[in-house]
Amino acid sequence: MSQRKAAIGFIFVTLLIDVIGWGIIIPVMPGLITHLEHVDTGTAASLNGWMLFAFSMTQFVFAPLIGNLSDKYGRRPILLVSLFGFGLDYVLMSWAPSIEWLFAGRIIAGITGASFTTASAYIADISTDENRAQNFGMIGAAFGLGFILGPVIGGLLGSFGPRVPFIAAAGLCFLNWLWGYFILPESLDKEHRRSMDWKRANPVGSLLHLRKYPDLGYLLVAMTLVYLASHAVQSNWAFYTIERFSWSEGMIGVSLGIVGLLVGSVQGGLTRVINPRLGNARSILIGMILYAVGMLLFGLATAGWMMLIFLIPYCLGGIASPALQATITSKVNVREQGELQGALTSLMSATSVVGPPLMTNLFAWAIRPGNPIYLPGAPFFLGSFLMMISAVIAYISLRKHGSGKVVLMKEKIQPE
């Protein structure tokens, strides 16, 4: 038990440092792209969307391979390789003299970007049915705390130059790798490892592998829509707030720090209290509805302070993600958790191939001069619609395949 707690703590810190490195660069990306290409906000947002596309496409291709390698060789070496690759990515982006080099850095990060895939499998290895949702909630908590620290630090460092945050991010990644090299234990013993199957180590084969679990079909569709909808916020936040409210890099960093504080509080604290009381089913449904409401309000905001207030319902929607992960992983054998997480990462990457270009180009079109209507909130409206559809699909799945009825208004719900 003490070893499991220590391992969870280390994975949390590892992911935290990883997210801090990621969050540091977000506030300065609009300015860096604009500086390199001499373009307006809409065009810069579109370029950023295609950059995210490059990252996601390579991750889509390589994530199943990484997941399968972790099932064969263990989680530890794969996680360390991933962390080192992210460090190289940030070094390259700190030096990049043109937009093409920024794309190259994102491709490297996509190839080695298995930290969350492998960390999820690591958590699944050492979790029990009783604490699975709570442990997966620590991933959200790492995201939250990382986004408290990372964007705020990035906003401050950005005042010294748009490339300084990338250097800081690279340093954090290499320190994370060094710490993991000496401290991180292996979670998957040799008895539970399996041989490499190349047919299952490609993105198409990995996604087709999910057909082995027909009870998860509707939930996986719902998860796909959640991932797709989330890019309305993830891909556009900095560009939308610059365009709509003229926010500075520092203000963007502060706002994302507030996002991190709320997400960390919800997934690292509230989830541990709410999930045992609501159960996974109601947590999923209520969380998706709150996500939808939050996105709708973002699109309707007429003042910057409203964005900060509307973060509350949006971030409360975070109770859905750990419950959804727990429901899915509880139905899969321990020997296949790495493959499952690789497939889920491929699913997330597939939506990330579509989501950023879709949402950023919708934003660029919605603010284009000469359009009959100026509607910068268009991506948020689309995201809200997709999130509501996902809630309906999840409800159907949980009614059809759950071990008990989904009852939203009663005191108790049967466990999954």
Side-chain angles (χ1 to χ4, degrees), residues 54-101:
F55 169 81
S56 300
M57 177 60 79
T58 50
Q59 191 175 63
F60 173 70
V61 172
F62 283 89
L65 174 62
I66 297 299
N68 276 265
L69 287 173
S70 78
D71 281 341
K72 180 177 181 179
Y73 297 107
R75 318 299 186 203
R76 182 180 184 275
I78 305 304
L79 189 58
L80 293 177
V81 169
S82 170
L83 295 175
F84 195 82
F86 267 124
L88 291 178
D89 165 47
Y90 292 131
V91 169
L92 181 60
M93 294 182 75
S94 70
W95 165 83
S98 66
I99 195 74
E100 290 79 12
W101 282 101

Side-chain angles (χ1 to χ4, degrees), residues 2 12 17 55 86 104 118 120 138 150 162 169 177 215 217 225 237 245 288 327 333 386 392:
S2 62
F12 172 77
I17 295 176
F55 169 81
F86 267 124
T118 312
S120 296
M138 296 304 293
W177 173 83
D215 289 357
L225 292 177
W237 182 266
F245 310 114
M288 288 178 175
T327 300
N333 186 279
L386 293 175
V392 172

Side-chain angles (χ1 to χ4, degrees), residues 323-335:
L324 192 57
Q325 277 270 31
T327 300
I328 291 173
T329 59
S330 66
K331 299 179 184 294
V332 177
N333 186 279
V334 65
R335 294 175 182 268

